[in-house]
Each structure stands twice: as C-alpha cells, then as structure tokens.
C-alpha cells in the first residue's frame, strides 16, 4: 500500500524499534526450518476448548468474519483491534514486541513488510502446522508473499494484482485509444495533456510501492535475499525499462504532482483530471467511496505491457495474516487463520468487499460474473483474476523494506521535484538501503 | 515605536512634542494591516472547516473549498452520521478526551498550583536546584519522552489503559514555572504572615488566601494544559491500541487513514465534521475564560 508522508516520523520510530533486534537473534542466517509442530487434531481440540484471541487489523472485513466464527465456536472469543493503518501498525507492533507485552495473537501484515518480521522470528513459521499443503489454494503472487526465506509466515488475506483503471469518458472525449503497451501509454499521456492541459494520464510524485511494482512487472529483480545476504540492484534490465519510460514522462511533465490518497487526489479521480490509475485490484471499493462522482465513467483494462502481446503483471499491495511468535495460543490462532483465509470466512469477507487471494474464489463463475455499477456494469473481476494468474514470479522484498520505503521520498523521490535523474535517484535509494542494511547486521551489496 | 536616535535632518519637523508623552493609544496603519493579515490567516482554516462540514462526499470534491456547495446544506446530516458511524464510537472518543482532559489537565493544574505556591513562598534548601530542574524540563519536548515512558509503562502493565494518558499528562513543567512566577507577585508574603499570626494552618492559608489570589494564573495554566491534553496525539498513539480508549485526535486520524487502505471506506466528510465538533469545546473554553486568561498573562509584568 501507499503512505502519506506525515507518517515518516512514525516510521522512523518503527525503524528504530527494528534496530539491533537482529544482533539479538544470534545471527543464524537460515530461517527455512523452524517453528513448532501442531497437528490438525491439536487445532480442532483448541477450537473446542476455546479461549481468547487478540487480532490486530485495519481491514474492516475481519470483524464480521470473527463474529461469524464466534457463532460457530461459542467458546472462542476474538477481539479485533485496529491498531493503526499499515506503517502505523508496524510501529505499534515493534513497540509491543520490544516491550514484550500486549503483542496480539494474529497480526495483519502486508507482503512488503512480512519478510522483516519473518527474519526476526517475530511471526511464527507455520511449516509445522501443515501450511505448506495449502500452496495450491492461493494465487502465486500472494503465496510468494507469505513464503520469504523458505518458511510460511502467514496466510494470504488479500492480493493486489495490477490492472489499468481508466476514465472512459476522458479517453472518448479526446478520442484517445486505451493503451495496451507502455509505449502507447506514453503516447496517450501526450495526447491527453495536449488536448486539455488540465488533464494528466496519472499522478505520481514518487511512491515506493508503485515504483517497485512497476519494476517487478518489467522483469526487474532489484532485491535478492538469501538469509542474511542481501543484494540490491536498481540497474538491471527490468529497472532500466521502467526508468527510461518514466524519465520521459517526468521530463515532459506528463505526470501530475498530486499526492496519492489525499482528498485532492480522490477529487481529481472523480472529475476527470486524472485519466488513469495503475494499481492493485483492491481499488474499486476505494473509488466507490472516495471518488463517488466518477461513478459510471471508470473502466478496467489489463495492465499496459512492455512487449506488445505480453501478459506480465505484478502485485501491488496486498497483505497476509500472521500468527505472532509471542502468542501462547498458536493452535487456536491457526484455527481461525485457516477459517479466515481459505475456509468459510472468505465468503464473509468477499461479501464485505474484500478482494480474494484464493484461486477457487478468483476462478469461481459467480465471482467473475459480478457486474459493477461504478464501472458501467463491467465484469471487472475477470480482468483481476487474469492479472492474478500472470504475476511475474520470483519477486523478493528486503528484510527491512518498511524502513527502505520510508526513505524513498528523500532519495528516489527527488527525481520528481529536482533535475536529478530517476536512475540516479534509485541509485541513491539503493545506496541508502545498503548502508542501513549493513548497519542492521545484514551483509548487503 | 519611538527610538532614541536623532531624527535625520531630511525628515519633516517633528509633530507636537506633546504627542510623544500622551497616553492615548495611537493608530498605526502598518500594524492594523499586519494584525489583519494574521487574523485572516487564523480564521480562514476555521471558515473552511465550517463551510466544508456542510458538504456531502460528492460536494467536497465538486465545489470550491471556501464556498458552499450548490443546493447542499448537510451540516445536520453530517453531524448525525459522525455521531452514529461505527456504532457511535465518536461519542465514546469524545468522552475519553473529556476524561483525559478533566483528570489530566485538571490534575496537572492542581499539582502546578501546589508546587508553584510552595516554591514561591517557602524558603528551603535546594530551591535553586529545583528551579534548574524545572527550567530544564520545560526545554524537553513531551514527544521525546513518549517512547521511554511507553517502555516504562509496559513494564508496569499500564499501556492500553486510560492511566497511560492521564499519568504523563499530570506533569506540566511549564505550568509549574508559570505558577511559580505568578505566585511570587500575586501573593504578598505579608498576607501569609498575617494569616499565620491569626492561627491559620498552612493548608487553610493556601486554600483560603492563596487560591483566590492565584485564580487568574490558575485559569491560564488550566487553559494551557487543557489545550495540550485535548490535542495530545503522539502519546496516545503509542500507548493505546484499543480504539475504545482513543481520544478524538487518534480516532479522527484512524478515520482519515481509512482512505489509504485497500477496502477502506473514504469518509473525509465525517473527518471534517468530526474535527469541527472537536474544536467547539475548546473555543467555548477560551471565550468563557478569556478575561482571566488575559489578566493572567499580563500578571507579574508590572510591579505595583
């Protein structure tokens, strides 16, 4: 997900919380095997015996699912607490872990942040719970997200396969074709802006999540992580494809500088100032409530391609639910986790507007046939499911991605507001990340 | 402003010298303009808040920010939605904030009055040391103490309880310092001596002689600590995880953050209306206590 810059301070506080924890875990680099063994019988027993579970999540669909679960298992009591949204919650979680008190049993953690918690053994490895057998139940992107370093550190809650959202009204008005490739996208950006100087094809003032997703789709692999050994490289072929295009977009002032997720941004999405949005499949509900005046005008198309006729996509955002290592009720927690992520709970969440990570739901005729009024009756889930199946495999996040993302604006973000080239900005981001990683006890190149 | 320098020769002859010593307030266009600009600067955000609290979500994005949306005046509907959203949690946050202010700011004021009075009116060894510590404490921002306080409180098992907010709020070095200097001037030592001669105990003297004389200062400190507690954000942010104990600052921020979450409902209109509701009590407090506040601020500036 994306952030707002006012959280920088908090993220810094969180980063400080991460500091030196690594030194305390004895420097053991292999976290592939680990965790305790809990059988299905243990989980069933735990559910029958009942007990209390504390869950931290900012997702509004968790509570109704927990209510349904409690109706099914009357002896289980679940408290769902919203301890903050994305980075705010990670700060709170690090604080609680440091204090050794108030750590929840289950926590909502985005894929980009999960490897950080996994490497520090703060989330439980579910290998011994039989989680690896669930591999085929989930789409490849989200499964890749929960399995850093060879363990299974949570189960996918949702996913964000990327698509192109576009304002059909704007495209029709200026007689511009919907772009299928990034070259066409660049041409469309020029045409739209020339036809109406107020209109931009997209807003981008520098966002770590968007940038890494774009490079991911282009086949770039900036991060390689093997235990404690990390390599960061923002100059590979995939990254270069992206920077070459985006540099043109920046130089020719084809991108609006409106900050994402602000009131102004939602306004621009509603009134046709921003003609497209390349983002994850979870966006529709945000559009419906955030840009109500765009209703009926927006449509979905596949993500533009680097090669004509290609199908490659990437994940953007999306999150897992993880059992915390500090939990004393892991079997019970796992019981609810299964229900929530690939049991009956999935339906409750979908009914409440969540986007699934489970292949069965992504491919179900009922899911794909759903027509969305906001998108003029378009069956957008078909496109989402297609994108989900085409995510480029093998992507990895840093074991300190939360911190790295927090310094994106100060390094790579400079390319958007100063004459700095984007490639140099990414190099600066790389250098700062390498430096920080080494300070944290990793071996970073 | 008059200066002591000789006026340069090129300037026109000075006006009647009498003017210089008259005590009538003089008008200055520059000053009036400057204060006017500052007034505008302060009032425009407030105006924006009031105007936008009358708009729907669509209206917020479709209309000019500093004017009403056409044919929409939804202030009442917005207030109702704000108070009922999430099962009426806004009301709960409001009461939490009130609790933190009454207990925290009230307690902080009481302690500052006690301490300030004692430091001002009693000579004891080590007073200079206390003074140094208090002045030093004024310089430490509360935010810097928040994380160590959190670690300490979590050891004591106090995090995620109202105590985690109330106890740190009780300490107001600035309030103590203000009370101290104020008590120095506001309470003539002779009065206290007279009371002692008449056989009044120290506490009775404090409550019956000291407190009434200190009233303007007390109100000043009360307003300071109230505003500080009412707007406290960082401390509750790290101390509290349970939304049931959130103050309004955290609650509104959580609502605002919903916009940046996948699957989150965007409710800017409720955040704006909630913010408006949140500042009304503060404005009321200022208007009601303004008289004391001003006399309290000026106290001690002139020795009678």
């Amino acid at each position: 997900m994306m952030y707002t810059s006012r959280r920088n301070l908090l993220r810094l506080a969180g980063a400080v919380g991460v500091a030196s924890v690594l030194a305390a875990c004895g420097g053991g680099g292999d976290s592939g095997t680990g965790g305790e063994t809990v059988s299905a019988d243990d989980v069933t027993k735990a559910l029958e015996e009942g007990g209390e579970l504390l869950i931290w999540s900012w997702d509004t669909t968790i509570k109704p699912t927990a209510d349904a679960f409690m109706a099914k298992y009357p002896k289980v009591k679940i408290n769902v607490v919203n301890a903050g949204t994305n980075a705010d919650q990670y700060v709170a979680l690090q604080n609680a872990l440091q204090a050794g008190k108030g750590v929840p049993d289950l926590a909502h953690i985005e894929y980009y942040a999960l490897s950080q918690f996994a490497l520090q053994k703060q989330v439980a490895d579910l290998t011994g719970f039989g989680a690896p057998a669930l591999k085929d139940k989930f789409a490849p992107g989200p499964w890749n997200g929960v399995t850093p370093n060879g363990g299974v550190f949570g189960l996918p809650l949702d996913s964000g396969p990327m698509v192109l959202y576009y304002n059909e009204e704007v495209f029709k008005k200026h007689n511009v074709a919907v772009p299928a490739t990034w070259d066409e996208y660049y041409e469309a950006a020029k045409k739209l802006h020339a036809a109406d100087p107020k209109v931009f094809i997209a807003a981008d003032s520098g966002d770590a999540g968007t940038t890494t997703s774009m490079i991911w789709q282009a086949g770039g692999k900036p991060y390689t992580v093997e235990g404690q050994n990390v390599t960061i490289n923002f100059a590979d072929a995939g990254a270069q494809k992206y920077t070459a295009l985006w540099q043109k977009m920046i130089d020719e002032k084809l991108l609006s500088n409106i900050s994402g997720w602000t009131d102004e941004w939602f306004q621009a999405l509603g009134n046709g100032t921003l003609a497209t949005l390349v983002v994850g499949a979870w966006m529709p509900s945000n559009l419906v409530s955030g840009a109500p005046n765009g209703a009926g005008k927006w449509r979905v198309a596949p993500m533009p391609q680097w090669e004509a006729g290609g199908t490659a996509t990437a994940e953007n955002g999306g999150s897992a639910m993880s059992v915390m290592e500090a939990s004393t009720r892991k079997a019970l927690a796992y019981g609810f986790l299964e229900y929530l992520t690939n049991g009956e709970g999935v339906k409750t969440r979908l009914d409440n507007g969540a986007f699934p990570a489970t292949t069965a739901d992504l491919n179900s005729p009922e899911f794909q046939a759903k027509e969305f009024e906001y998108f003029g009756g378009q069956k957008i889930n078909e496109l989402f499911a297609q994108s989900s199946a085409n995510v480029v495999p093998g992507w990895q996040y840093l074991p300190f991605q939360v911190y790295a993302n927090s310094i994106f604006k100060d390094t790579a973000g400079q390319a958007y507001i100063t004459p700095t080239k984007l490639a140099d900005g990414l190099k600066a981001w790389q250098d700062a990340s390498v430096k920080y990683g080494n300070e944290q006890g990793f071996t970073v190149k | 402003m008059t200066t002591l320098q000789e006026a340069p020769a090129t300037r026109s002859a000075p006006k009647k010298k009498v003017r210089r010593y008259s005590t009538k307030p003089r008008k200055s266009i520059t000053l009036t303009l400057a204060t006017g600009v500052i007034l505008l600067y302060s009032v425009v955000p407030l105006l924006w808040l009031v105007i936008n609290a009358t708009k729907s979500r669509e209206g917020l994005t479709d209309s000019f920010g500093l004017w009403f949306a056409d044919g929409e005046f939804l202030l009442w509907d917005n207030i109702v939605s704000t108070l009922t959203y999430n099962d009426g949690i806004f009301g709960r946050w409001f009461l939490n904030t009130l609790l933190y202010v009454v207990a925290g700011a009230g307690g902080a004021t009481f302690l500052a009055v006690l301490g300030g009075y004692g430091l001002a009116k009693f000579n004891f060894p080590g007073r200079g040391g206390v003074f140094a510590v208090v002045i030093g404490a004024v310089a430490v921002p509360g935010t810097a103490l928040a994380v160590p306080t959190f670690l300490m409180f979590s050891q004591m098992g106090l995090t995620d309880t109202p105590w985690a907010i109330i106890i740190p709020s009780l300490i107001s070095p600035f309030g103590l310092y203000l009370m101290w200097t104020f008590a120095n001037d506001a309470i003539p030592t002779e009065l206290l001596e007279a009371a002692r001669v008449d056989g009044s105990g120290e506490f009775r003297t404090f409550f019956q002689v000291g407190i009434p004389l200190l009233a303007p200062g007390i109100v000043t400190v009360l307003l300071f600590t109230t505003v500080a507690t009412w707007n406290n954000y960082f401390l509750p942010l790290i101390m509290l995880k349970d939304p049931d104990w959130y103050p309004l600052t955290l609650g509104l921020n959580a609502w605002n953050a919903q916009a940046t979450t996948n699957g989150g409902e965007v409710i800017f209109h409720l955040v704006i209306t909630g913010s408006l509701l949140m500042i009304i009590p503060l404005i009321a407090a200022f208007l009601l206590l303004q008289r004391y506040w001003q006399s309290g601020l000026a106290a001690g500036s002139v020795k009678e």
Side-chain angles (χ1 to χ4, degrees):
Chain A
M1 282 306 300
M2 332 220 164
Y3 323 100
T4 50
S5 53
R6 86 197 139 72
R7 301 219 176 100
N8 270 339
L9 170 79
L10 302 178
R11 283 210 298 282
L12 206 63
V16 173
V18 178
S20 71
V21 178
L22 261 183
C25 64
D30 62 318
S31 47
T33 56
E36 52 208 272
T37 313
V38 174
S39 70
D41 290 346
D42 294 342
V43 173
T44 316
K45 214 170 90 198
L47 289 174
E48 280 163 7
E49 281 174 12
E52 280 205 34
L53 283 177
L54 175 63
I55 299 182
W56 280 11
S57 172
W58 59 83
D59 184 322
T60 48
T61 66
I62 305 292
K63 210 173 167 55
T65 315
D67 290 342
F69 187 80
M70 287 189 279
K72 192 174 170 184
Y73 300 100
K75 286 190 176 165
V76 184
K77 189 170 182 324
I78 302 178
N79 290 316
V80 183
V81 164
N82 175 354
T85 305
N86 22 48
D88 287 352
Q89 188 202 270
Y90 306 143
V91 174
L93 202 51
Q94 290 290 4
N95 285 344
L97 286 162
Q98 234 188 323
K101 287 214 172 56
V103 181
D105 297 292
L106 287 154
H108 183 164
I109 300 175
E110 287 156 286
Y111 298 129
Y112 83 87
L114 188 58
S115 96
Q116 178 167 318
F117 288 97
L119 197 87
Q120 294 175 24
K121 298 195 164 58
Q122 291 163 332
V123 291
D125 185 349
L126 303 174
T127 305
F129 290 63
L134 301 171
K135 182 182 176 183
D136 295 330
K137 290 196 177 254
F138 296 101
W143 186 256
N144 176 53
V146 294
T147 50
N149 316 317
V152 184
F153 292 97
L155 290 179
L157 200 53
D158 52 32
S159 63
M162 291 175 92
V163 292
L164 171 75
Y165 298 83
Y166 66 99
N167 189 321
E168 190 184 39
E169 196 181 59
V170 175
F171 275 82
K172 277 201 169 135
K173 183 177 164 191
H174 301 298
N175 203 5
V176 178
V178 179
T181 65
W182 287 111
D183 286 335
E184 288 172 20
Y185 182 86
Y186 163 71
E187 295 301 329
K190 279 198 295 192
K191 276 188 206 152
L192 286 169
H193 193 56
D196 183 349
K198 281 209 302 287
V199 174
F200 290 90
I201 195 152
D204 188 5
S205 51
D207 176 86
T210 309
T211 306
T212 47
S213 292
M214 291 284 289
I215 293 173
W216 180 345
Q217 187 217 9
K221 299 257 190 302
Y223 304 127
T224 359
V225 185
E226 283 176 35
Q228 305 282 55
N229 299 312
V230 181
T231 315
I232 308 180
N233 174 15
F234 273 97
D236 66 6
Q240 281 176 3
K241 273 189 208 170
Y242 166 71
T243 48
L245 170 82
W246 231 240
Q247 192 62 56
K248 275 196 299 188
M249 303 280 293
I250 295 169
D251 289 346
E252 297 172 35
K253 298 195 170 40
L254 298 174
L255 295 167
S256 156
N257 60 2
I258 296 174
S259 298
W261 304 96
T262 56
D263 191 12
E264 191 190 5
W265 184 74
F266 278 112
Q267 184 174 354
L269 290 172
N271 66 17
T273 306
L274 296 177
T276 73
L277 184 62
V278 179
V279 79
W282 34 258
M283 191 69 206
S285 64
N286 292 68
L287 277 174
V288 170
S289 64
N293 38 1
K297 300 173 191 169
W298 284 84
R299 297 288 180 276
V300 176
M303 192 175 181
Q305 293 298 315
W306 294 99
E307 268 121 55
T311 55
T313 59
E315 291 273 342
N316 173 258
S319 44
M321 187 68 87
S322 299
V323 178
M324 298 305 291
E325 188 58 61
S327 168
T328 52
R329 298 197 180 80
K330 291 200 183 70
L332 185 63
Y334 189 73
F336 177 67
L337 184 60
E338 278 207 289
Y339 174 92
L340 176 76
T341 55
N342 64 78
E344 294 163 41
V346 178
K347 188 170 178 333
T348 317
R349 295 190 57 245
L350 295 186
D351 290 345
N352 280 286
F355 186 80
T358 35
T359 41
D361 293 286
L362 285 165
N363 299 329
S364 89
E366 186 195 354
F367 174 78
Q368 297 203 2
K370 193 175 167 193
E371 294 178 2
F372 286 76
E373 208 181 313
Y374 189 93
F375 296 91
Q378 195 185 359
K379 296 175 182 169
I380 55 176
N381 283 342
E382 288 177 354
L383 288 151
F384 296 154
Q386 210 180 323
S387 171
S388 178
N390 292 323
V391 171
V392 177
W395 174 268
Q396 289 182 296
Y397 281 116
L398 288 178
F400 44 91
Q401 194 73 42
V402 179
Y403 173 82
N405 282 5
S406 75
I407 56 167
F408 181 89
K409 279 262 192 209
D410 313 331
T411 51
Q414 295 298 311
Y416 293 84
I417 45 177
T418 64
T420 310
K421 290 283 175 241
L422 185 58
D424 299 339
L426 287 172
K427 180 77 175 68
W429 189 32
Q430 175 180 322
D431 294 345
S433 304
V434 168
K435 184 168 162 285
Y436 177 82
N438 282 319
E439 284 167 6
Q440 296 303 308
F442 296 94
T443 314
V444 193
K445 288 197 294 286
Chain B
M1 293 301 202
T2 52
T3 59
L4 295 174
Q5 285 175 338
E6 284 288 322
T10 49
R11 256 178 59 177
S12 53
K15 290 177 186 145
K16 283 183 207 158
K17 274 191 175 170
V18 189
R19 275 296 293 275
R20 200 176 287 180
Y21 306 110
S22 83
T23 52
K24 263 201 311 196
R26 283 176 298 162
K27 288 199 177 75
S28 150
I29 298 201
T30 337
L31 266 182
T32 312
L33 275 178
T35 43
V37 168
I38 291 169
L39 179 76
L40 264 180
Y41 179 80
S42 325
V43 169
V44 166
L46 200 62
L47 200 66
W48 183 93
L49 196 60
V50 174
I51 289 172
N52 287 280
T54 68
K55 297 177 185 174
S56 66
R57 268 201 323 248
E58 288 89 337
L60 272 179
T61 54
D62 282 346
S63 59
F64 177 62
L66 280 170
W67 197 242
F68 297 92
D70 285 343
E72 264 192 353
F73 191 83
L74 299 170
L75 182 59
W76 183 245
D77 304 47
N78 279 345
I79 291 174
V80 171
S81 316
T82 305
L83 297 178
T84 51
Y85 190 79
N86 272 8
D87 310 326
I89 193 140
F90 186 88
R92 164 111 203 189
W93 290 338
F94 190 87
L95 292 175
N96 289 343
T97 309
L98 215 56
L99 168 75
Y100 300 147
V101 165
V102 170
T109 309
F110 184 68
L111 290 176
V113 174
L114 273 177
Y117 172 86
L119 284 163
K121 291 296 157 191
F122 293 87
N123 248 324
F124 57 91
R127 205 161 70 142
V130 174
F131 181 78
V133 168
V134 171
I135 289 293
V138 170
V140 178
T143 315
L145 296 173
V147 174
T149 313
F150 168 81
L151 293 173
M152 198 168 76
F153 275 30
S154 66
Q155 290 302 322
M156 294 150 79
L158 287 174
T159 45
D160 224 352
T161 65
W163 296 111
I165 313 302
I166 292 169
I167 294 172
S169 304
L170 289 175
I171 312 302
S172 170
F174 179 70
L176 176 64
Y177 175 69
L178 206 73
M179 255 358 273
W180 182 351
T181 45
F182 187 79
N184 251 334
D185 293 333
I187 305 177
T189 312
E190 295 83 349
L191 259 185
L192 299 184
E193 284 164 356
R196 283 174 198 140
V197 167
D198 289 341
S200 153
E202 283 307 335
F203 274 97
R204 186 174 163 192
T205 309
F206 169 70
F207 282 110
Q208 296 202 325
V209 179
I211 294 262
L213 288 170
L214 290 175
I218 294 174
V219 172
T220 309
V221 173
L222 189 63
L223 273 173
F224 266 120
T225 49
T226 300
V227 172
T229 322
W230 193 268
N231 294 334
N232 199 350
Y233 175 77
F234 191 68
L235 181 80
L237 179 75
I238 61 170
M239 288 287 185
L240 300 176
K241 293 295 147 266
D242 186 349
D244 280 348
W245 286 115
Y246 278 5
L248 283 170
T249 41
L250 278 196
L252 288 172
N253 183 57
W255 278 6
N256 203 29
Q258 282 191 187
T260 66
T261 307
N262 54 9
E265 195 185 1
V266 185
I267 47 169
F268 289 133
H269 61 309
L270 299 188
V271 175
I272 288 170
T273 313
S275 306
L276 181 66
L277 293 176
M278 181 177 167
I279 57 172
I280 289 172
L282 269 193
I283 292 174
F286 265 88
L287 291 177
L288 289 172
L289 299 172
Q290 205 185 16
R291 294 180 301 148
Y292 304 102
W293 161 256
Q294 284 171 333
S295 63
L297 273 184
S301 54
V302 181
K303 200 120 171 103
E304 310 268 328

CSV table of all heavy atoms in Angstrom, one decimal, chain A residues 29 63 69 75 88 111 132 164 166 186 249 309 314 320 384 391:
chain,number,residue,atom,x,y,z
A,29,GLY,N,21.5,-17.4,10.0
A,29,GLY,CA,21.0,-16.9,8.8
A,29,GLY,C,19.9,-17.8,8.2
A,29,GLY,O,19.1,-17.3,7.5
A,63,LYS,N,-13.8,-8.1,11.3
A,63,LYS,CA,-14.7,-8.1,12.4
A,63,LYS,C,-15.9,-9.0,12.1
A,63,LYS,O,-16.3,-9.9,12.9
A,63,LYS,CB,-15.1,-6.7,12.8
A,63,LYS,CG,-15.4,-6.7,14.3
A,63,LYS,CD,-15.6,-5.2,14.7
A,63,LYS,CE,-16.2,-5.1,16.1
A,63,LYS,NZ,-15.5,-5.8,17.2
A,69,PHE,N,-17.4,-16.5,13.1
A,69,PHE,CA,-16.6,-17.6,13.7
A,69,PHE,C,-17.0,-17.9,15.1
A,69,PHE,O,-17.1,-19.0,15.5
A,69,PHE,CB,-15.1,-17.2,13.6
A,69,PHE,CG,-14.1,-18.3,14.0
A,69,PHE,CD1,-13.8,-19.3,13.1
A,69,PHE,CD2,-13.5,-18.3,15.3
A,69,PHE,CE1,-12.9,-20.3,13.5
A,69,PHE,CE2,-12.6,-19.3,15.6
A,69,PHE,CZ,-12.3,-20.3,14.7
A,75,LYS,N,-17.1,-21.1,22.3
A,75,LYS,CA,-16.1,-20.9,23.4
A,75,LYS,C,-15.0,-20.0,23.0
A,75,LYS,O,-14.1,-19.7,23.9
A,75,LYS,CB,-15.6,-22.3,23.8
A,75,LYS,CG,-16.7,-23.1,24.6
A,75,LYS,CD,-16.0,-24.3,25.2
A,75,LYS,CE,-17.0,-25.1,26.1
A,75,LYS,NZ,-16.6,-26.5,26.3
A,88,ASP,N,1.7,2.6,10.5
A,88,ASP,CA,1.4,2.9,11.9
A,88,ASP,C,1.3,1.7,12.8
A,88,ASP,O,1.8,1.6,13.9
A,88,ASP,CB,0.1,3.6,12.0
A,88,ASP,CG,0.1,5.0,11.5
A,88,ASP,OD1,1.3,5.5,11.2
A,88,ASP,OD2,-0.9,5.7,11.4
A,111,TYR,N,2.6,-7.8,2.5
A,111,TYR,CA,3.6,-8.6,2.0
A,111,TYR,C,5.0,-8.0,2.0
A,111,TYR,O,6.0,-8.6,2.3
A,111,TYR,CB,3.3,-9.1,0.5
A,111,TYR,CG,2.0,-9.9,0.4
A,111,TYR,CD1,1.1,-9.5,-0.5
A,111,TYR,CD2,1.8,-11.0,1.3
A,111,TYR,CE1,-0.1,-10.3,-0.5
A,111,TYR,CE2,0.7,-11.7,1.2
A,111,TYR,CZ,-0.3,-11.3,0.3
A,111,TYR,OH,-1.5,-12.1,0.2
A,132,PRO,N,2.3,-25.6,4.4
A,132,PRO,CA,2.8,-25.8,3.0
A,132,PRO,C,1.8,-26.5,2.1
A,132,PRO,O,1.8,-26.3,0.9
A,132,PRO,CB,4.1,-26.6,3.2
A,132,PRO,CG,4.5,-26.2,4.6
A,132,PRO,CD,3.3,-26.0,5.4
A,164,LEU,N,-5.1,-1.7,-15.2
A,164,LEU,CA,-5.2,-0.3,-15.6
A,164,LEU,C,-6.6,0.2,-15.4
A,164,LEU,O,-7.5,-0.4,-16.1
A,164,LEU,CB,-4.8,-0.1,-17.1
A,164,LEU,CG,-5.0,1.3,-17.7
A,164,LEU,CD1,-4.0,2.3,-17.2
A,164,LEU,CD2,-5.0,1.2,-19.2
A,166,TYR,N,-9.1,3.2,-16.1
A,166,TYR,CA,-9.1,4.4,-16.9
A,166,TYR,C,-10.5,5.0,-16.9
A,166,TYR,O,-11.5,4.4,-16.8
A,166,TYR,CB,-8.6,4.1,-18.3
A,166,TYR,CG,-9.5,3.2,-19.1
A,166,TYR,CD1,-10.3,3.7,-20.1
A,166,TYR,CD2,-9.5,1.8,-18.9
A,166,TYR,CE1,-11.2,2.9,-20.8
A,166,TYR,CE2,-10.3,1.0,-19.7
A,166,TYR,CZ,-11.2,1.6,-20.6
A,166,TYR,OH,-12.0,0.8,-21.4
A,186,TYR,N,2.5,6.1,-23.0
A,186,TYR,CA,3.3,7.4,-23.1
A,186,TYR,C,2.6,8.3,-24.2
A,186,TYR,O,2.5,9.5,-24.0
A,186,TYR,CB,4.7,7.1,-23.4
A,186,TYR,CG,5.6,8.2,-23.9
A,186,TYR,CD1,5.9,9.3,-23.1
A,186,TYR,CD2,6.0,8.2,-25.3
A,186,TYR,CE1,6.7,10.3,-23.6
A,186,TYR,CE2,6.8,9.3,-25.8
A,186,TYR,CZ,7.1,10.3,-24.9
A,186,TYR,OH,7.9,11.4,-25.4
A,249,MET,N,8.4,10.6,-19.1
A,249,MET,CA,7.1,11.1,-18.5
A,249,MET,C,7.4,12.3,-17.6
A,249,MET,O,6.7,13.3,-17.6
A,249,MET,CB,6.4,10.0,-17.7
A,249,MET,CG,6.1,8.7,-18.5
A,249,MET,SD,4.6,8.8,-19.5
A,249,MET,CE,3.3,9.0,-18.4
A,309,GLY,N,1.5,-7.7,-26.9
A,309,GLY,CA,1.0,-9.1,-26.8
A,309,GLY,C,1.4,-9.8,-25.5
A,309,GLY,O,1.1,-11.0,-25.3
A,314,ALA,N,2.1,-7.6,-12.1
A,314,ALA,CA,2.8,-7.6,-10.8
A,314,ALA,C,1.7,-7.4,-9.7
A,314,ALA,O,0.6,-7.1,-10.0
A,314,ALA,CB,3.8,-6.5,-10.7
A,320,ALA,N,-1.1,-10.3,4.4
A,320,ALA,CA,-1.3,-11.6,5.0
A,320,ALA,C,-1.7,-11.4,6.4
A,320,ALA,O,-1.7,-10.3,6.9
A,320,ALA,CB,0.1,-12.3,4.9
A,384,PHE,N,-9.3,-9.0,-13.2
A,384,PHE,CA,-8.4,-9.1,-12.0
A,384,PHE,C,-7.9,-10.5,-11.9
A,384,PHE,O,-6.7,-10.8,-11.5
A,384,PHE,CB,-9.2,-8.8,-10.7
A,384,PHE,CG,-9.7,-7.4,-10.6
A,384,PHE,CD1,-10.8,-7.0,-9.9
A,384,PHE,CD2,-9.0,-6.3,-11.3
A,384,PHE,CE1,-11.2,-5.7,-9.8
A,384,PHE,CE2,-9.4,-5.0,-11.2
A,384,PHE,CZ,-10.5,-4.7,-10.5
A,391,VAL,N,1.1,-12.9,-12.7
A,391,VAL,CA,2.1,-12.1,-11.9
A,391,VAL,C,3.5,-12.8,-12.2
A,391,VAL,O,3.6,-14.0,-12.1
A,391,VAL,CB,1.7,-12.2,-10.4
A,391,VAL,CG1,2.9,-11.6,-9.6
A,391,VAL,CG2,0.5,-11.4,-10.2
